[in-house]
Amino acid sequence: MRRTLTSLGLLVALAGHAFADDSKVVKSVSLQDLETVLVEEGHTIMSTGDDGAVSVRATDPTTGLIFNLLGVACETEYSDGCLGINMQVRYDADGQETLERINEANLMWAATSAWYSPDGTDGYSPTVGITRYVILDGGMTVRNIKDNLLNLLAIAPQVADYVWQAGDWAPLDVDDELYDDYSADEW
């Protein structure tokens, strides 16, 4: 009897972790599946349901980057779950961004899509977003879903720096140390 109860308890515990096997092929996802992926990768879930029934807002604890996973094409005639995942990092627009730089970012980082919304996702606040859209039709491994998220989280800060000309993309100032090694005659 004890062995039966232990086995049942183990099955129940494993059922809650649908994605414990990264090689598992999935053709759709649920809210619980998205939460499991995030927890397995060490992200902190901030909220669920803010952008639809199958949506999660989370934080990468190492970088502090806030991002969203949104289930897309959910509850269709083809599946009870969502057939796609829209992975997004959103930044508040401040008027310094240009559509030209956003379009250039799309060419430079083709694995993602950069976009601008004058009304933002809340209908009021201008937003610049970086998105990676994953289509699960035909199946994808759980590891590939995790890798797509990893790529988005690596690319989004680079795109933001490019759009706002910060970090590596900041314009060089004549007073920068780089120029200290050269005299005006050497330019």
Side-chain angles (χ1 to χ4, degrees):
M1 179 70 166
R2 180 179 221 179
R3 176 178 275 172
T4 304
L5 289 176
T6 302
S7 297
L8 284 174
L10 182 60
L11 286 174
V12 168
L14 290 175
H17 299 286
F19 285 163
D21 180 4
D22 279 358
S23 64
K24 178 180 178 182
V25 175
V26 295
K27 295 183 179 185
S28 66
V29 292
S30 67
L31 176 60
Q32 182 180 358
D33 296 332
L34 295 179
E35 291 175 315
T36 300
V37 164
L38 294 173
V39 169
E40 286 179 2
E41 291 302 292
H43 300 294
T44 304
I45 296 174
M46 297 171 59
S47 63
T48 61
D50 294 340
D51 292 310
V54 183
S55 66
V56 183
R57 176 164 289 133
T59 305
D60 181 338
T62 32
T63 64
L65 191 61
I66 298 171
F67 61 94
N68 301 286
L69 298 184
L70 313 171
V72 188
C74 303
E75 307 298 325
T76 69
E77 61 188 85
Y78 306 105
S79 173
D80 291 336
C82 300
L83 298 172
I85 306 168
N86 196 347
M87 303 174 174
Q88 294 184 344
V89 175
R90 303 173 189 161
Y91 295 94
D92 293 333
D94 63 5
Q96 300 302 309
E97 63 285 328
T98 67
L99 294 179
E100 179 182 12
R101 291 194 74 78
I102 291 170
N103 286 332
E104 289 170 355
N106 280 318
L107 296 173
M108 294 171 68
W109 291 276
T112 59
S113 297
W115 48 271
Y116 172 78
S117 174
D119 298 327
T121 55
D122 63 2
Y124 303 103
S125 308
T127 303
V128 172
I130 296 90
T131 299
R132 179 139 175 103
Y133 185 71
V134 177
I135 299 172
L136 302 174
D137 296 6
M140 177 181 285
T141 66
V142 173
R143 180 73 257 158
N144 198 299
I145 293 170
K146 292 175 179 179
D147 287 345
N148 274 277
L149 178 58
L150 183 67
N151 286 326
L152 171 71
L153 297 179
I155 293 170
Q158 295 175 56
V159 171
D161 280 354
Y162 181 78
V163 167
W164 282 288
Q165 299 180 352
D168 290 342
W169 299 101
L172 292 176
D173 187 4
V174 178
D175 294 331
D176 283 350
E177 290 179 25
L178 175 68
Y179 293 107
D180 290 344
D181 294 338
Y182 301 99
S183 68
D185 294 337
E186 293 177 22
W187 289 38

